[in-house]
Amino acid sequence: MPLIRVRFSPSPTGSLHLGSIRTALYNYALAKKHGGAFVLRVDDTNLEKAVAGSIDRMLKTFDWLGIKFDEGPHVGGSYGPYQQSHRISQYRQCAMELVQVRCSSVKEPKVSYRVVRLIAGSHYQSSLNS
């Protein structure tokens, strides 16, 4: 495993912004300088705003720029899935564990319960009442 792993996590809501490309370039350069991995993790959790084809256009742009990802939804890797929407079940499981311990170690329970409720969905109330 590389000593350093850096990621670029764009949202597929349209064309890449120049500032996003700059950030990706900095992370890519840092990873390559230190023999690390450059990871693409797509933040596609807001499916209402997702634009069809934007991930493919993004990958073509990076290919044109000569920036290659070591891990990501298009190349795989050991730490997938690389699309946030494919990790919802993992997040839901963690949220359920928080509910079961009643967030006892969290300093802001109101905020924590709100986040847990959003992630856990309908299972939140039944677990909380048990």
Side-chain angles (χ1 to χ4, degrees):
M1 180 169 85
L3 295 176
I4 186 172
R5 296 180 77 241
V6 295
R7 68 177 167 83
F8 177 64
S9 56
S11 182
T13 56
S15 300
L16 277 173
H17 184 274
L18 184 58
S20 297
I21 294 171
R22 182 203 61 202
T23 299
L25 180 60
Y26 288 162
N27 284 349
Y28 175 77
L30 180 69
K32 296 308 159 194
K33 179 179 180 180
H34 295 286
F38 183 48
V39 180
L40 174 64
R41 184 170 313 271
V42 179
D43 186 3
D44 62 346
T45 53
N46 190 345
L47 298 177
E48 293 172 4
K49 290 186 177 182
V51 174
S54 61
I55 295 173
D56 290 334
R57 283 193 306 278
M58 175 183 15
L59 291 172
K60 286 178 185 175
T61 300
F62 284 119
D63 188 50
W64 181 80
L65 291 168
I67 297 175
K68 306 287 185 215
F69 292 94
D70 299 307
E71 299 175 35
H74 62 299
V75 293
S78 301
Y79 299 96
Y82 293 95
Q83 286 184 244
Q84 293 299 87
S85 63
H86 296 175
R87 301 173 77 84
I88 296 295
S89 62
Q90 293 170 339
Y91 299 146
R92 183 169 283 127
Q93 179 60 37
C94 290
M96 296 306 297
E97 290 173 18
L98 282 173
V99 168
Q100 289 177 6
V101 297
R102 306 272 198 265
C103 299
S104 60
S105 64
V106 180
K107 293 180 181 177
E108 297 287 338
K110 282 186 176 180
V111 174
S112 300
Y113 281 133
R114 190 175 305 130
V115 171
V116 168
R117 188 173 60 238
L118 287 171
I119 294 172
S122 62
H123 301 291
Y124 171 77
Q125 287 300 333
S126 60
S127 294
L128 189 60
N129 296 329
S130 60

